[in-house]
Amino acid sequence: MTRIDAKFAKLKAEGKKAFVAYIMGGDPDLDTSLAVMKGLPGAGVDVIELGMPFTDPMADGPTIQLAGQRALDGGMTMDKVLDMVRAFRTGDSETPIVLMGYYNPIYARGVDRFLAEAREAGIDGLIVVDLPPEEDSELCLPAQAAGINFIRLATPTTDAKRLPAVLKNTSGFVYYVSVTGITGAAAAQAAAVGPEVARIKQSTDLPVIVGFGINTAENARDIASIADGCVVGSAIVKEIGAGKPLAEILARVADLASGAHSA
Amino acid sequence: MAEDGINSFMTGPDEQGRFGIFGGRFVSETLMPLILDLEAEYEHAKTDPSFWAEMDDLWKHYVGRPSPLYFAPRLTEHLGGAKVYLKREELNHTGSHKINNVLGQILLARRMGKTRIIAETGAGQHGVATATVCARFGLQCVVYMGAHDVERQAPNVFRMRLLGAEVVPVTSGRGTLKDAMNDALRDWVTNVRDTFYCIGTVAGPHPYPGMVRDFQSIIGRETRAQLQEQEGPGRLPDTLIAAIGGGSNAMGLFHPFLDDPSVRIIGVEAGGKGVDERMEHCASLTGGRPGVLHGNRTYLLQDADGQILEGFSISAGLDYPGIGPEHAWLHDVGRAEYVSVTDTEALEAFQLLCKLEGIIPALEPSHALAHVTKLAPTLPKDHIIVVNLSGRGDKDIFTVAKHLGFDMKV
């Protein structure tokens, strides 16, 4: 049982929905980013998604593209992303951490080396946008074997024929992408997303968490109410990008979390 | 041709879309169902005589195929060695080889009921070809082009707009072809239900690399027949040379000859300011290593941490940090050789062809010509080199004028 499994079991026992927050590792620099990360659990975040910066983030909108650029300009590397996780773990051994990003920085490091280091650093799951089930032998299967959850994206184009393949080698939770599009795009509509989540839940016992296009507490509540929880990324990253003080960033996170938790 | 247990070099890609370890389908889940649909549609069209009948008709009457295979007498004489033939793809409608592939993809898009076409473009040749065929079939067309390229290829931007396309300048990254491809992929993932992504080169997720190659292979098939008409039955070229950005004109010329062991095959990458540690070039095979970008595994210019580096080339069409996965494989198995040529060498070859043959080549094939000027003098007079003259240079005269210190303002 990974930290992710334990967290969702606990939330289920408490009858609570999950609030997942995304930040870009090292945005705008390692110290600021680590301070935000350390503050997330206290602001009500149940699971942390930590972005690995990449020069060519093809599934991301301008907000997260710019965050990645800031991080890279600030000298962020994979070594430093792992250091951030290690530093976080010195004060928090419970909050699950999911690394999110693209395959090339992992491939460049070597999959086996990356997985060993990720596990040692205290990473619990991976979301790698450009690895569909067709490429499971690359990272998904080795990650599962190393005891790290490989969390898959399901999307509005994942039809009934394809859904079993998408669910097959996944674990931790299923990340349902609320819209066809990039991060920070059109607002997610609970009325449209609800039936899709229900459809996925018929085929899996894993929690289904909805992300993309969630940017207010009300939106977070509405979406969380028809799923097992929701993810907010761009709305938080925008605050960091605007150079807001830590307390203000975390207040915004707490507001979004309270929305999800009120569902 | 049996070498290292390979019976044929022409059977790829495999069912996973791989050429050896290269290729694949590294895309987000949103795009996977569409990519599988496209693969099925293409597999069906490939064996459908009516599809190829329509292609042949358009190639002949709309594009002007076959393109001539032209013996270049004064260039040959000047170089003093091998006989140099030019495959005149620059005489195609829209001025480059790009339209060969665009026609195939647009016919597929029509079969799939897609009404909106998107494309990325570097030099603008693929964008112009896509805008052209969209006008011909009454389809909406959006072309993503790096802001830096919009500036250095202004004539093509205006052409696309005249043809009814929307040209979107891309400002992310350094504003070149790589960034245009990122934004095209972002558009596609957003408008996946009605939109067809017309990729301009032999790269991207499977089935694009093999499909684009198949559409471009008309270049090599014509070359094989035309050379025999001029040099006698059974005569094959001794050396094939083509420039490589993504590598579609090169794959088109090379592929029909891969299993002819007597044919030497050379791809020419853009060496920019020189292939060295400054990394101011676009020679992915010479100066890069395997990685994953834009849907496929291939050789990429990248740093130790897997971050993609910006290439550098005088030629917008070669300014891409990757290369088609089939080239990566041909490189690794040793069937093709890959060399690089600098900006300066390409500019010299550009001027040489203008003066000796009365043909203004694009900067992209000028790289191939530059390698011909090095190689031909070392070869005997009965040696035949075919070089792919993939595009015409009208679009480049402003860039060339600037480098030669000629003031174009009147």
Side-chain angles (χ1 to χ4, degrees):
Chain A
M1 195 180 219
T2 65
R3 286 190 192 90
I4 297 173
D5 300 330
K7 174 64 80 173
F8 280 105
K10 183 163 174 273
L11 286 167
K12 194 175 180 183
E14 293 169 358
K16 270 175 77 181
K17 300 298 174 82
F19 180 69
V20 182
Y22 171 98
I23 59 167
M24 174 64 77
D27 168 30
D29 56 65
L30 200 154
D31 290 347
T32 309
S33 190
L34 180 59
V36 173
M37 189 180 180
K38 284 179 170 171
L40 293 177
V45 172
D46 299 304
V47 177
I48 297 171
E49 271 181 30
L50 186 62
M52 298 177 279
F54 182 49
T55 40
D56 294 80
M58 287 148 316
D60 286 305
T63 302
I64 291 178
Q65 287 174 42
L66 290 171
Q69 275 176 28
R70 285 193 297 270
L72 291 172
D73 291 346
M76 204 59 189
T77 60
M78 183 67 87
D79 278 336
K80 290 181 181 172
V81 170
L82 294 167
D83 284 345
M84 239 181 106
V85 174
R86 290 185 191 103
F88 177 88
R89 280 278 172 251
T90 59
D92 184 324
S93 57
E94 274 180 32
T95 308
I97 299 173
V98 175
L99 279 194
M100 183 164 184
Y102 298 82
Y103 184 40
N104 199 54
I106 295 171
Y107 181 70
R109 198 172 192 83
V111 164
D112 292 342
R113 178 184 163 201
F114 169 79
L115 288 173
E117 290 174 344
R119 192 173 160 79
E120 165 269 319
I123 287 158
D124 308 292
L126 301 172
I127 301 177
V128 183
V129 181
D130 49 357
L131 286 177
E134 282 73 6
E135 303 292 351
D136 269 358
S137 57
E138 294 281 335
L139 179 66
C140 171
L141 298 177
Q144 307 275 28
I148 294 179
N149 290 134
F150 193 87
I151 293 143
R152 192 97 73 192
L153 303 177
T155 75
T157 61
T158 308
D159 56 18
K161 192 174 68 183
R162 212 177 142 67
L163 188 58
V166 168
L167 295 173
K168 190 179 170 201
N169 293 321
T170 194
S171 63
F173 59 91
V174 176
Y175 186 135
Y176 182 70
V177 177
S178 68
V179 292
T180 57
I182 51 180
T183 53
Q189 302 297 325
V193 173
E196 294 295 301
V197 171
R199 177 171 71 91
I200 294 167
K201 287 189 76 72
Q202 280 177 358
S203 305
T204 181
D205 294 329
L206 291 170
V208 178
I209 307 300
V210 178
F212 282 41
I214 300 168
N215 52 20
T216 65
E218 295 70 41
N219 208 196
R221 181 196 61 212
D222 292 349
I223 294 293
S225 70
I226 49 92
D228 297 304
C230 68
V231 188
V232 176
S234 295
I236 297 167
V237 170
K238 241 178 214 160
E239 303 289 313
I240 298 170
K244 299 270 177 70
L246 180 62
E248 230 174 284
I249 295 165
L250 293 176
R252 174 89 165 108
V253 174
D255 177 49
L256 290 156
S258 70
H261 288 147
S262 70
Chain B
M1 178 164 171
E3 237 173 52
D4 302 330
I6 296 170
N7 293 320
S8 168
F9 291 99
M10 295 173 70
T11 56
D14 66 17
E15 282 184 7
Q16 276 70 50
R18 302 288 179 101
F19 303 90
I21 67 160
F22 300 104
R25 285 179 283 219
F26 297 89
V27 296
S28 62
E29 172 61 23
T30 308
L31 295 177
M32 265 318 298
L34 183 65
I35 280 174
L36 295 173
D37 283 353
L38 173 61
E39 185 184 345
E41 192 71 37
Y42 179 56
E43 286 304 314
H44 177 70
K46 226 163 52 171
T47 53
D48 178 355
S50 73
F51 177 80
W52 290 106
E54 196 174 2
M55 283 288 282
D56 286 341
D57 183 67
L58 286 161
W59 269 339
K60 183 175 178 190
H61 297 107
Y62 191 65
V63 176
R65 302 207 71 90
S67 68
L69 182 68
Y70 167 70
F71 171 60
R74 296 192 68 221
L75 180 64
T76 298
E77 191 189 6
H78 174 82
L79 297 175
K83 288 178 85 168
V84 180
Y85 279 85
L86 307 177
K87 180 60 173 162
R88 302 284 306 273
E89 289 296 301
E90 101 282 10
L91 292 176
N92 294 336
H93 181 40
T94 71
S96 81
H97 71 290
K98 292 291 187 186
I99 197 163
N100 302 332
N101 158 53
V102 170
L103 277 172
Q105 289 197 46
I106 298 298
L107 292 188
L108 281 178
R110 279 162 55 83
R111 286 179 166 227
M112 295 173 77
K114 304 291 181 188
T115 54
R116 182 173 175 272
I117 308 297
I118 58 169
E120 85 294 336
T121 199
Q125 296 300 84
H126 175 60
V128 168
T130 306
T132 297
V133 181
C134 285
R136 164 67 183 76
F137 287 102
L139 296 165
Q140 187 192 348
C141 179
V142 179
V143 179
Y144 288 89
M145 187 168 187
H148 179 58
D149 292 338
V150 166
E151 191 187 320
R152 60 176 163 172
Q153 302 288 347
N156 272 343
V157 174
F158 185 57
R159 264 180 209 117
M160 287 184 268
R161 291 190 171 140
L162 278 176
L163 291 160
E166 180 192 345
V167 180
V168 182
V170 175
T171 52
S172 61
R174 203 168 65 87
T176 60
L177 184 52
K178 164 178 89 89
D179 310 299
M181 198 150 180
N182 287 335
D183 268 18
L185 284 162
R186 290 178 186 124
D187 178 313
W188 199 22
V189 85
T190 305
N191 302 293
V192 63
R193 294 184 202 277
D194 70 343
T195 296
F196 186 99
Y197 183 13
C198 184
I199 295 184
T201 192
V202 286
H206 177 64
Y208 282 97
M211 179 175 76
V212 175
R213 173 203 70 201
D214 291 347
F215 292 144
Q216 292 293 2
S217 292
I218 184 77
I219 300 171
R221 290 198 303 273
E222 284 178 5
T223 298
R224 180 184 281 272
Q226 289 166 322
L227 193 70
Q228 295 191 55
E229 283 164 22
Q230 296 179 55
E231 293 281 349
R235 183 67 165 100
L236 290 171
D238 297 301
T239 301
L240 301 174
I241 300 182
I244 296 182
S248 71
N249 90 77
M251 271 323 305
L253 177 64
F254 298 169
H255 193 259
F257 294 99
L258 289 179
D259 285 343
D260 295 296
S262 70
V263 181
R264 185 181 178 194
I265 294 175
I266 305 174
V268 184
E269 296 192 285
K273 294 179 180 173
V275 182
D276 53 32
E277 67 286 349
R278 291 174 303 162
M279 296 303 273
E280 288 181 301
H281 63 82
C282 294
S284 321
L285 287 176
T286 326
R289 61 194 162 83
V292 173
L293 180 71
H294 293 156
N296 57 178
R297 177 171 17 235
T298 188
Y299 277 80
L300 298 172
L301 301 182
Q302 56 183 320
D303 69 11
D305 219 31
Q307 304 296 341
I308 309 303
L309 299 173
E310 300 285 353
F312 179 89
S313 170
I314 189 175
S315 149
L318 304 180
D319 205 344
Y320 181 71
I323 184 168
E326 193 166 8
H327 285 295
W329 176 72
L330 289 171
H331 170 266
D332 276 17
V333 299
R335 175 59 188 102
E337 302 161 50
Y338 294 86
V339 299
S340 70
V341 150
T342 64
D343 286 352
T344 307
E345 292 168 327
L347 274 168
E348 281 165 14
F350 176 99
Q351 295 171 79
L352 190 68
L353 197 71
C354 293
K355 283 175 186 156
L356 291 178
E357 297 291 346
I359 296 170
I360 302 178
L363 282 170
E364 291 79 21
S366 295
H367 285 72
L369 289 164
H371 192 65
V372 171
T373 65
K374 295 180 191 176
L375 191 63
T378 69
L379 296 167
K381 290 188 189 307
D382 62 350
H383 188 101
I384 294 175
I385 295 176
V386 175
V387 54
N388 197 353
L389 198 60
S390 57
R392 66 176 184 229
D394 308 42
K395 68 182 176 60
D396 293 315
I397 56 172
F398 299 94
T399 305
V400 173
K402 199 171 128 194
H403 279 84
L404 300 181
F406 184 84
D407 188 359
M408 295 276 280
K409 291 190 189 76
V410 284

